[in-house]
Amino acid sequence: MKPPSENHDLIRWLDGEMNDNERASFDEQLKNNPLLAKEAEELRALSATIRLHMPAEMKMPHSDFFNSQIQVRISQMEADDARSNVAAAPIWFAVFRWRRQPWLVAAGAAALAVLSFVLLRPAQDAPSQSTILSSYTPNTHVRAHTFHDEEADATVLMLDGLDEVPAEKKISGITVQRSEMEPEFASTTLFDAAGERLLMISRDSTGSPLIWTKTPRG
Amino acid sequence: MPASAVSDPIEVSDIDLVKRSQAGDTRAFDILVTRYRGRIYAMTYHLIQNETEAWDLAQEAFIKAWRALPNFKLDAGFYTWLYRIAHNVSYDWLRKKKIQGDGEFDDEHTSHRAAAGAETAPKGDPAPDMAMRNAEVGQRIQAAIAKLSPEHRQVIVLREVEGLAYEEIAEIIPCSLGTIMSRLFYARKKLQEQLKDVYETTL
Protein backbone atom coordinates (compact mmCIF):
# COMPACT_ATOMS: atom_id res chain seq x y z
CA MET A 1 0.00 0.00 0.00
CA LYS A 2 1.36 3.40 -0.94
CA PRO A 3 2.02 5.52 2.14
CA PRO A 4 0.11 8.78 2.38
CA SER A 5 1.99 11.94 1.33
CA GLU A 6 3.35 13.85 4.26
CA ASN A 7 1.55 17.06 5.02
CA HIS A 8 3.70 19.00 7.45
CA ASP A 9 1.45 22.04 7.29
CA LEU A 10 -1.47 19.96 8.53
CA ILE A 11 0.64 18.62 11.39
CA ARG A 12 1.95 22.05 12.34
CA TRP A 13 -1.56 23.52 12.21
CA LEU A 14 -2.84 20.75 14.44
CA ASP A 15 -0.06 21.20 16.99
CA GLY A 16 -0.21 24.99 17.09
CA GLU A 17 3.25 25.32 15.58
CA MET A 18 2.25 27.93 12.96
CA ASN A 19 2.64 31.68 13.28
CA ASP A 20 -0.40 33.92 12.73
CA ASN A 21 0.19 34.40 9.01
CA GLU A 22 0.73 30.71 8.36
CA ARG A 23 -2.36 29.81 10.34
CA ALA A 24 -4.54 32.32 8.49
CA SER A 25 -3.28 30.97 5.19
CA PHE A 26 -3.93 27.36 6.20
CA ASP A 27 -7.40 28.20 7.53
CA GLU A 28 -8.16 29.60 4.07
CA GLN A 29 -7.04 26.30 2.52
CA LEU A 30 -9.32 24.40 4.85
CA LYS A 31 -12.30 26.49 3.76
CA ASN A 32 -11.63 25.71 0.10
CA ASN A 33 -10.73 22.07 0.49
CA PRO A 34 -13.43 19.92 2.14
CA LEU A 35 -11.26 16.79 2.02
CA LEU A 36 -8.43 18.55 3.82
CA ALA A 37 -10.89 20.02 6.31
CA LYS A 38 -12.31 16.57 7.05
CA GLU A 39 -8.82 15.16 7.52
CA ALA A 40 -7.90 18.02 9.86
CA GLU A 41 -11.05 17.52 11.90
CA GLU A 42 -10.41 13.79 12.21
CA LEU A 43 -6.83 14.29 13.35
CA ARG A 44 -7.95 16.88 15.87
CA ALA A 45 -10.53 14.43 17.27
CA LEU A 46 -7.88 11.72 17.40
CA SER A 47 -5.51 13.96 19.37
CA ALA A 48 -8.26 14.97 21.79
CA THR A 49 -9.18 11.32 22.38
CA ILE A 50 -5.58 10.32 23.02
CA ARG A 51 -5.02 13.20 25.44
CA LEU A 52 -8.17 12.35 27.33
CA HIS A 53 -7.12 8.76 27.89
CA MET A 54 -3.40 9.14 28.38
CA PRO A 55 -2.87 11.18 31.52
CA ALA A 56 0.46 12.96 31.95
CA GLU A 57 0.49 11.86 35.57
CA MET A 58 -0.48 8.47 36.97
CA LYS A 59 -0.69 7.05 40.44
CA MET A 60 2.46 5.06 41.06
CA PRO A 61 1.63 1.53 42.26
CA HIS A 62 3.24 0.72 45.61
CA SER A 63 4.62 4.23 45.79
CA ASP A 64 6.08 3.93 49.30
CA PHE A 65 7.96 0.84 48.28
CA PHE A 66 9.14 2.68 45.17
CA ASN A 67 10.68 5.44 47.28
CA SER A 68 12.16 3.09 49.84
CA GLN A 69 13.79 0.97 47.15
CA ILE A 70 15.45 4.03 45.70
CA GLN A 71 16.79 4.92 49.13
CA VAL A 72 18.09 1.38 49.59
CA ARG A 73 19.83 1.45 46.24
CA ILE A 74 21.39 4.82 46.94
CA SER A 75 22.74 3.45 50.23
CA GLN A 76 24.12 0.41 48.45
CA MET A 77 25.74 2.54 45.76
CA GLU A 78 27.40 4.66 48.39
CA ALA A 79 28.63 1.57 50.20
CA ASP A 80 29.98 0.23 46.89
CA ASP A 81 31.69 3.53 46.19
CA ALA A 82 33.27 3.44 49.64
CA ARG A 83 34.53 -0.09 48.97
CA SER A 84 35.92 0.99 45.58
CA ASN A 85 37.81 3.80 47.25
CA VAL A 86 39.32 1.34 49.68
CA ALA A 87 40.14 -0.96 46.77
CA ALA A 88 42.18 1.82 45.23
CA ALA A 89 44.53 1.64 48.22
CA PRO A 90 47.98 -0.05 47.91
CA ILE A 91 48.02 -3.72 46.91
CA TRP A 92 49.21 -5.02 50.27
CA PHE A 93 46.24 -3.32 51.88
CA ALA A 94 43.87 -4.76 49.30
CA VAL A 95 45.19 -8.27 49.89
CA PHE A 96 44.84 -7.84 53.61
CA ARG A 97 41.29 -6.62 53.13
CA TRP A 98 40.49 -9.46 50.73
CA ARG A 99 41.45 -12.00 53.36
CA ARG A 100 39.04 -10.44 55.81
CA GLN A 101 36.13 -10.40 53.39
CA PRO A 102 33.87 -13.29 52.38
CA TRP A 103 35.34 -14.44 49.09
CA LEU A 104 32.06 -14.16 47.25
CA VAL A 105 29.44 -11.49 47.17
CA ALA A 106 26.15 -12.44 48.74
CA ALA A 107 24.30 -13.28 45.57
CA GLY A 108 27.09 -15.45 44.30
CA ALA A 109 27.36 -17.22 47.62
CA ALA A 110 23.64 -17.86 47.65
CA ALA A 111 23.72 -19.29 44.16
CA LEU A 112 26.64 -21.57 44.88
CA ALA A 113 25.14 -22.73 48.12
CA VAL A 114 21.98 -23.73 46.32
CA LEU A 115 23.77 -25.37 43.46
CA SER A 116 26.08 -27.26 45.75
CA PHE A 117 23.29 -29.10 47.42
CA VAL A 118 23.29 -32.77 46.73
CA LEU A 119 19.68 -33.70 46.49
CA LEU A 120 17.94 -36.82 45.46
CA ARG A 121 14.48 -36.57 44.02
CA PRO A 122 12.35 -39.69 43.86
CA ALA A 123 10.61 -40.85 40.70
CA GLN A 124 8.07 -38.57 39.05
CA ASP A 125 5.02 -40.34 40.41
CA ALA A 126 6.34 -40.27 43.96
CA PRO A 127 5.86 -37.38 46.38
CA SER A 128 7.97 -34.38 45.43
CA GLN A 129 9.96 -34.25 48.66
CA SER A 130 13.69 -34.22 47.98
CA THR A 131 16.17 -36.06 50.11
CA ILE A 132 19.08 -33.86 51.10
CA LEU A 133 22.16 -36.01 51.42
CA SER A 134 24.74 -33.35 52.10
CA SER A 135 25.34 -29.68 51.62
CA TYR A 136 28.22 -27.39 50.89
CA THR A 137 28.51 -23.62 51.06
CA PRO A 138 31.72 -22.05 49.76
CA ASN A 139 31.29 -19.19 52.16
CA THR A 140 32.09 -20.70 55.54
CA HIS A 141 30.05 -18.02 57.30
CA VAL A 142 26.89 -19.33 55.67
CA ARG A 143 24.94 -22.19 57.21
CA ALA A 144 22.38 -24.15 55.19
CA HIS A 145 19.28 -25.89 56.55
CA THR A 146 16.39 -27.50 54.75
CA PHE A 147 12.88 -28.60 55.58
CA HIS A 148 9.92 -29.86 53.63
CA ASP A 149 6.90 -27.57 53.50
CA GLU A 150 3.79 -29.73 53.20
CA GLU A 151 1.53 -26.88 52.16
CA ALA A 152 3.80 -25.69 49.36
CA ASP A 153 4.87 -29.25 48.58
CA ALA A 154 8.40 -28.00 48.32
CA THR A 155 11.77 -28.45 49.94
CA VAL A 156 12.78 -25.12 51.41
CA LEU A 157 16.42 -24.11 51.60
CA MET A 158 17.38 -21.70 54.37
CA LEU A 159 20.71 -19.88 54.20
CA ASP A 160 21.82 -18.13 57.37
CA GLY A 161 24.70 -15.71 57.43
CA LEU A 162 24.41 -14.18 53.97
CA ASP A 163 25.04 -10.52 53.48
CA GLU A 164 22.01 -8.58 52.38
CA VAL A 165 21.40 -9.15 48.68
CA PRO A 166 21.55 -5.83 46.77
CA ALA A 167 18.10 -4.55 45.81
CA GLU A 168 18.94 -4.39 42.10
CA LYS A 169 19.82 -8.09 42.02
CA LYS A 170 17.05 -10.30 40.83
CA ILE A 171 16.99 -13.74 42.40
CA SER A 172 16.10 -16.55 40.09
CA GLY A 173 16.08 -20.29 40.39
CA ILE A 174 16.15 -23.45 38.35
CA THR A 175 13.75 -26.35 38.40
CA VAL A 176 15.38 -29.70 38.95
CA GLN A 177 13.21 -32.52 37.69
CA ARG A 178 15.28 -35.48 38.82
CA SER A 179 18.74 -36.54 39.85
CA GLU A 180 20.96 -39.53 39.26
CA MET A 181 23.74 -40.82 41.49
CA GLU A 182 26.76 -42.71 40.28
CA PRO A 183 28.31 -44.45 43.29
CA GLU A 184 31.37 -45.41 41.31
CA PHE A 185 32.33 -41.77 40.80
CA ALA A 186 30.58 -40.50 43.92
CA SER A 187 28.79 -38.01 41.71
CA THR A 188 25.28 -36.69 41.47
CA THR A 189 23.81 -35.23 38.28
CA LEU A 190 20.73 -33.01 38.21
CA PHE A 191 18.41 -32.91 35.18
CA ASP A 192 15.76 -30.41 34.05
CA ALA A 193 12.27 -31.25 32.74
CA ALA A 194 13.64 -31.71 29.21
CA GLY A 195 16.10 -34.29 30.47
CA GLU A 196 19.11 -32.03 29.97
CA ARG A 197 21.91 -31.98 32.53
CA LEU A 198 21.89 -28.90 34.72
CA LEU A 199 24.60 -29.69 37.20
CA MET A 200 26.98 -32.44 38.20
CA ILE A 201 28.53 -32.59 41.64
CA SER A 202 31.39 -34.78 42.71
CA ARG A 203 34.41 -34.63 44.99
CA ASP A 204 38.11 -34.61 44.29
CA SER A 205 40.71 -36.73 46.06
CA THR A 206 40.89 -34.24 48.94
CA GLY A 207 37.14 -34.32 49.46
CA SER A 208 36.54 -30.83 48.07
CA PRO A 209 33.43 -30.47 45.90
CA LEU A 210 33.78 -30.42 42.13
CA ILE A 211 30.91 -28.74 40.31
CA TRP A 212 30.13 -28.87 36.62
CA THR A 213 27.35 -26.56 35.45
CA LYS A 214 25.70 -26.05 32.14
CA THR A 215 26.01 -22.53 30.73
CA PRO A 216 22.58 -20.95 31.06
CA ARG A 217 20.80 -20.32 27.78
CA GLY A 218 20.12 -16.81 26.53
CA MET B 1 24.83 10.04 54.71
CA PRO B 2 23.53 13.46 55.62
CA ALA B 3 19.78 13.90 55.91
CA SER B 4 18.72 17.35 56.93
CA ALA B 5 15.29 18.19 58.25
CA VAL B 6 13.13 19.35 55.37
CA SER B 7 10.25 21.69 56.09
CA ASP B 8 6.89 21.34 54.41
CA PRO B 9 7.86 19.62 51.14
CA ILE B 10 5.24 21.51 49.17
CA GLU B 11 6.89 24.83 50.00
CA VAL B 12 10.39 23.76 49.13
CA SER B 13 11.47 24.61 45.60
CA ASP B 14 13.09 22.12 43.24
CA ILE B 15 16.28 24.14 43.31
CA ASP B 16 16.55 23.95 47.09
CA LEU B 17 15.89 20.23 47.05
CA VAL B 18 18.39 19.68 44.26
CA LYS B 19 21.06 21.64 46.13
CA ARG B 20 20.49 19.57 49.25
CA SER B 21 20.50 16.38 47.20
CA GLN B 22 23.76 17.38 45.58
CA ALA B 23 25.17 17.74 49.07
CA GLY B 24 24.15 14.14 49.74
CA ASP B 25 20.81 14.72 51.48
CA THR B 26 18.79 11.64 50.55
CA ARG B 27 15.65 12.92 52.27
CA ALA B 28 15.60 15.93 49.98
CA PHE B 29 15.97 13.60 47.01
CA ASP B 30 13.14 11.48 48.39
CA ILE B 31 10.87 14.53 48.21
CA LEU B 32 11.85 15.08 44.59
CA VAL B 33 11.04 11.43 43.91
CA THR B 34 7.63 11.81 45.52
CA ARG B 35 7.01 15.03 43.62
CA TYR B 36 7.74 13.63 40.18
CA ARG B 37 7.24 9.88 40.37
CA GLY B 38 3.66 10.10 39.03
CA ARG B 39 4.71 12.00 35.92
CA ILE B 40 7.82 9.95 35.29
CA TYR B 41 5.88 6.74 35.78
CA ALA B 42 3.14 7.93 33.38
CA MET B 43 5.76 8.61 30.73
CA THR B 44 7.52 5.26 31.13
CA TYR B 45 4.18 3.47 31.23
CA HIS B 46 2.89 5.12 28.06
CA LEU B 47 6.12 4.30 26.26
CA ILE B 48 6.58 0.77 27.57
CA GLN B 49 2.95 -0.28 28.06
CA ASN B 50 3.83 -2.66 30.85
CA GLU B 51 3.23 -1.88 34.51
CA THR B 52 6.13 -3.82 35.95
CA GLU B 53 8.73 -2.69 33.44
CA ALA B 54 7.53 0.90 33.64
CA TRP B 55 7.85 0.80 37.42
CA ASP B 56 11.40 -0.57 37.19
CA LEU B 57 12.41 1.92 34.51
CA ALA B 58 11.02 4.85 36.48
CA GLN B 59 13.11 3.70 39.42
CA GLU B 60 16.14 3.33 37.18
CA ALA B 61 15.63 6.88 35.97
CA PHE B 62 15.67 8.27 39.51
CA ILE B 63 18.76 6.25 40.38
CA LYS B 64 20.53 7.55 37.28
CA ALA B 65 19.43 11.06 38.19
CA TRP B 66 20.91 10.66 41.67
CA ARG B 67 24.18 9.48 40.16
CA ALA B 68 24.24 12.37 37.70
CA LEU B 69 23.14 15.07 40.17
CA PRO B 70 26.69 16.37 40.73
CA ASN B 71 26.75 17.32 37.04
CA PHE B 72 23.32 18.95 37.04
CA LYS B 73 23.43 22.67 36.30
CA LEU B 74 21.05 24.59 38.50
CA ASP B 75 20.10 26.96 35.69
CA ALA B 76 18.15 24.15 33.97
CA GLY B 77 14.77 22.86 35.07
CA PHE B 78 15.11 19.76 37.23
CA TYR B 79 12.00 18.09 35.83
CA THR B 80 13.06 18.64 32.23
CA TRP B 81 16.45 17.14 33.04
CA LEU B 82 14.90 14.23 34.93
CA TYR B 83 12.37 13.71 32.15
CA ARG B 84 15.15 13.41 29.61
CA ILE B 85 16.92 10.79 31.69
CA ALA B 86 13.69 8.80 32.08
CA HIS B 87 12.97 9.10 28.40
CA ASN B 88 16.42 7.83 27.45
CA VAL B 89 16.16 4.91 29.87
CA SER B 90 12.76 3.94 28.43
CA TYR B 91 13.76 4.44 24.85
CA ASP B 92 16.89 2.32 25.28
CA TRP B 93 14.66 -0.41 26.70
CA LEU B 94 12.27 -0.08 23.77
CA ARG B 95 15.06 -0.28 21.25
CA LYS B 96 16.35 -3.46 22.82
CA LYS B 97 12.89 -4.95 22.48
CA LYS B 98 12.41 -3.72 18.96
CA ILE B 99 11.49 -6.46 16.59
CA GLN B 100 13.70 -6.67 13.56
CA GLY B 101 11.85 -6.54 10.27
CA ASP B 102 9.16 -4.05 9.44
CA GLY B 103 9.97 -1.96 12.48
CA GLU B 104 6.47 -2.27 13.83
CA PHE B 105 5.74 -3.36 17.34
CA ASP B 106 3.58 -6.39 17.74
CA ASP B 107 0.84 -6.17 20.31
CA GLU B 108 1.66 -9.67 21.49
CA HIS B 109 5.10 -8.56 22.59
CA THR B 110 3.91 -5.93 24.99
CA SER B 111 1.49 -6.63 27.74
CA HIS B 112 -1.07 -4.36 29.27
CA ARG B 113 -1.21 -5.94 32.65
CA ALA B 114 -2.56 -3.64 35.29
CA ALA B 115 -0.87 -4.07 38.65
CA ALA B 116 -2.85 -3.85 41.83
CA GLY B 117 -3.24 -0.22 42.80
CA ALA B 118 -2.49 0.99 39.32
CA GLU B 119 -4.50 3.76 37.82
CA THR B 120 -4.48 3.86 34.05
CA ALA B 121 -7.53 6.01 33.44
CA PRO B 122 -8.00 9.72 34.13
CA LYS B 123 -9.07 10.65 37.62
CA GLY B 124 -12.71 11.42 38.25
CA ASP B 125 -15.89 9.71 39.28
CA PRO B 126 -17.81 8.92 36.12
CA ALA B 127 -20.92 6.77 36.15
CA PRO B 128 -20.17 3.02 35.95
CA ASP B 129 -21.18 2.64 32.29
CA MET B 130 -19.15 5.70 31.37
CA ALA B 131 -16.22 4.39 33.39
CA MET B 132 -16.40 1.10 31.52
CA ARG B 133 -16.55 2.89 28.19
CA ASN B 134 -13.54 5.01 29.23
CA ALA B 135 -11.63 1.91 30.21
CA GLU B 136 -12.41 0.25 26.87
CA VAL B 137 -11.35 3.30 24.91
CA GLY B 138 -8.22 3.56 27.02
CA GLN B 139 -7.34 -0.05 26.25
CA ARG B 140 -7.94 0.46 22.54
CA ILE B 141 -5.64 3.47 22.54
CA GLN B 142 -2.97 1.65 24.52
CA ALA B 143 -3.16 -1.30 22.13
CA ALA B 144 -2.91 0.97 19.09
CA ILE B 145 0.08 2.82 20.51
CA ALA B 146 1.73 -0.47 21.40
CA LYS B 147 1.74 -1.35 17.71
CA LEU B 148 3.70 1.75 16.77
CA SER B 149 7.45 1.58 16.30
CA PRO B 150 9.51 3.01 19.19
CA GLU B 151 10.24 6.14 17.13
CA HIS B 152 6.56 6.79 16.40
CA ARG B 153 5.44 5.93 19.90
CA GLN B 154 8.01 8.29 21.31
CA VAL B 155 6.83 11.36 19.38
CA ILE B 156 3.19 10.63 20.15
CA VAL B 157 3.88 10.44 23.89
CA LEU B 158 6.06 13.54 23.88
CA ARG B 159 3.58 15.56 21.87
CA GLU B 160 0.14 14.32 22.88
CA VAL B 161 0.76 13.36 26.49
CA GLU B 162 3.47 15.77 27.53
CA GLY B 163 2.38 18.55 25.16
CA LEU B 164 5.95 19.40 24.23
CA ALA B 165 6.71 21.78 21.36
CA TYR B 166 8.56 20.44 18.32
CA GLU B 167 11.80 22.11 19.36
CA GLU B 168 11.63 20.53 22.79
CA ILE B 169 10.95 17.12 21.25
CA ALA B 170 13.81 17.56 18.82
CA GLU B 171 16.09 18.38 21.73
CA ILE B 172 15.10 15.30 23.71
CA ILE B 173 15.23 12.72 20.92
CA PRO B 174 17.40 14.36 19.34
CA CYS B 175 16.64 14.88 15.63
CA SER B 176 15.59 17.54 13.13
CA LEU B 177 12.22 19.31 13.14
CA GLY B 178 11.49 17.76 9.77
CA THR B 179 11.96 14.29 11.23
CA ILE B 180 9.67 15.14 14.14
CA MET B 181 6.92 16.31 11.76
CA SER B 182 7.37 13.29 9.54
CA ARG B 183 7.17 10.86 12.45
CA LEU B 184 4.17 12.63 13.93
CA PHE B 185 2.41 12.53 10.57
CA TYR B 186 2.87 8.80 10.02
CA ALA B 187 2.27 7.90 13.66
CA ARG B 188 -1.06 9.71 13.57
CA LYS B 189 -1.99 8.12 10.27
CA LYS B 190 -1.44 4.69 11.78
CA LEU B 191 -3.44 5.56 14.86
CA GLN B 192 -6.13 7.05 12.67
CA GLU B 193 -6.56 3.74 10.86
CA GLN B 194 -6.84 1.77 14.06
CA LEU B 195 -8.94 4.14 16.11
CA LYS B 196 -11.37 5.52 13.59
CA ASP B 197 -14.42 4.09 15.33
CA VAL B 198 -13.17 5.38 18.68
CA TYR B 199 -12.67 9.04 17.87
CA GLU B 200 -15.53 9.29 15.37
CA THR B 201 -17.99 9.49 18.24
CA THR B 202 -16.42 12.79 19.25
CA LEU B 203 -16.85 14.36 15.81
Side-chain angles (χ1 to χ4, degrees):
Chain A
M1 192 176 77
K2 189 184 170 190
S5 310
E6 291 180 38
N7 187 336
H8 289 184
D9 283 347
L10 175 58
I11 293 296
R12 291 175 62 231
W13 173 84
L14 187 72
D15 291 328
E17 293 272 344
M18 286 180 158
N19 61 34
D20 290 346
N21 288 340
E22 288 172 327
R23 175 164 281 275
S25 170
F26 194 77
D27 284 342
E28 199 62 33
Q29 281 187 57
L30 290 175
K31 279 181 197 165
N32 299 323
N33 187 340
L35 275 180
L36 181 63
K38 183 172 179 292
E39 176 75 354
E41 203 51 45
E42 281 196 16
L43 286 178
R44 191 144 66 176
L46 173 69
S47 286
T49 306
I50 290 172
R51 282 176 198 159
L52 188 65
H53 290 89
M54 292 182 74
E57 184 162 3
M58 288 166 64
K59 186 180 173 187
M60 164 73 75
H62 316 295
S63 53
D64 289 343
F65 183 59
F66 182 84
N67 282 43
S68 69
Q69 282 292 96
I70 289 174
Q71 294 293 320
V72 167
R73 288 187 61 185
I74 288 173
S75 300
Q76 287 171 346
M77 284 189 304
E78 292 189 346
D80 289 346
D81 288 347
R83 278 194 209 108
S84 301
N85 291 338
V86 173
I91 290 175
W92 63 268
F93 181 76
V95 170
F96 176 71
R97 188 177 156 273
W98 178 82
R99 288 173 61 85
R100 294 176 58 203
Q101 293 283 324
W103 63 282
L104 284 171
V105 296
L112 273 181
V114 174
L115 293 177
S116 301
F117 260 71
V118 179
L119 56 91
L120 179 64
R121 183 162 175 159
Q124 282 186 339
D125 52 350
S128 61
Q129 182 173 354
S130 303
T131 303
I132 306 299
L133 300 177
S134 66
S135 65
Y136 166 70
T137 56
N139 185 338
T140 54
H141 299 291
V142 177
R143 293 281 175 271
H145 315 277
T146 61
F147 65 91
H148 184 74
D149 187 304
E150 296 287 346
E151 195 176 337
D153 189 23
T155 300
V156 179
L157 169 66
M158 303 287 289
L159 296 171
D160 295 330
L162 283 176
D163 291 338
E164 191 174 350
V165 177
E168 76 274 14
K169 299 281 184 194
K170 294 189 177 177
I171 299 173
S172 59
I174 54 171
T175 302
V176 178
Q177 187 65 33
R178 65 187 178 84
S179 64
E180 284 180 5
M181 289 188 70
E182 290 186 52
E184 188 181 346
F185 300 106
S187 68
T188 299
T189 307
L190 309 182
F191 297 87
D192 65 12
E196 292 197 45
R197 275 192 294 183
L198 292 167
L199 181 77
M200 191 177 79
I201 306 166
S202 185
R203 288 181 188 277
D204 65 14
S205 56
T206 64
S208 298
L210 291 173
I211 301 171
W212 175 88
T213 60
K214 181 184 174 195
T215 305
R217 277 174 290 189
Chain B
M1 76 191 64
S4 66
V6 179
S7 56
D8 184 358
I10 298 170
E11 293 174 2
V12 185
S13 70
D14 280 5
I15 289 182
D16 280 347
L17 292 170
V18 168
K19 280 180 184 169
R20 292 181 200 185
S21 301
Q22 285 177 326
D25 184 344
T26 53
R27 281 184 59 193
F29 189 68
D30 190 55
I31 294 170
L32 286 168
V33 172
T34 303
R35 190 171 284 180
Y36 292 118
R37 67 189 175 199
R39 291 173 72 180
I40 293 299
Y41 173 67
M43 189 267 277
T44 57
Y45 177 77
H46 293 319
L47 274 175
I48 302 303
Q49 308 265 305
N50 177 303
E51 291 276 359
T52 310
E53 297 289 356
W55 198 92
D56 284 347
L57 290 172
Q59 190 174 87
E60 205 55 46
F62 280 107
I63 295 292
K64 277 185 184 260
W66 170 264
R67 292 291 260 183
L69 263 180
N71 302 323
F72 175 68
K73 304 275 190 302
L74 290 169
D75 54 352
F78 173 73
Y79 176 66
T80 309
W81 177 76
L82 172 67
Y83 185 91
R84 195 170 300 169
I85 292 173
H87 172 271
N88 290 341
V89 167
S90 306
Y91 190 63
D92 286 347
W93 186 92
L94 268 180
R95 285 178 66 85
K96 282 180 191 162
K97 291 276 177 184
K98 186 176 181 178
I99 298 163
Q100 299 301 316
D102 61 3
E104 290 291 309
F105 252 57
D106 188 331
D107 206 15
E108 289 175 11
H109 289 79
T110 51
S111 61
H112 309 287
R113 289 176 288 123
E119 188 173 310
T120 56
K123 291 188 178 73
D125 187 23
D129 54 342
M130 182 62 80
M132 191 172 287
R133 165 74 183 151
N134 275 341
E136 282 172 14
V137 172
Q139 283 171 3
R140 286 282 310 279
I141 293 171
Q142 302 278 11
I145 287 175
K147 287 182 180 173
L148 296 177
S149 68
E151 290 78 13
H152 286 171
R153 193 187 300 191
Q154 168 181 59
V155 291
I156 286 293
V157 170
L158 292 173
R159 174 61 214 162
E160 303 289 24
V161 180
E162 292 293 325
L164 298 184
Y166 289 176
E167 284 192 2
E168 292 173 303
I169 298 173
E171 206 174 305
I172 285 177
I173 288 182
C175 62
S176 70
L177 291 180
T179 303
I180 299 294
M181 287 187 271
S182 178
R183 286 180 184 174
L184 272 172
F185 179 81
Y186 287 115
R188 282 173 168 148
K189 277 287 169 196
K190 285 172 183 169
L191 292 175
Q192 202 178 5
E193 285 167 20
Q194 295 180 60
L195 298 171
K196 204 172 182 62
D197 59 310
V198 173
Y199 69 77
E200 265 181 349
T201 57
T202 65
L203 286 171

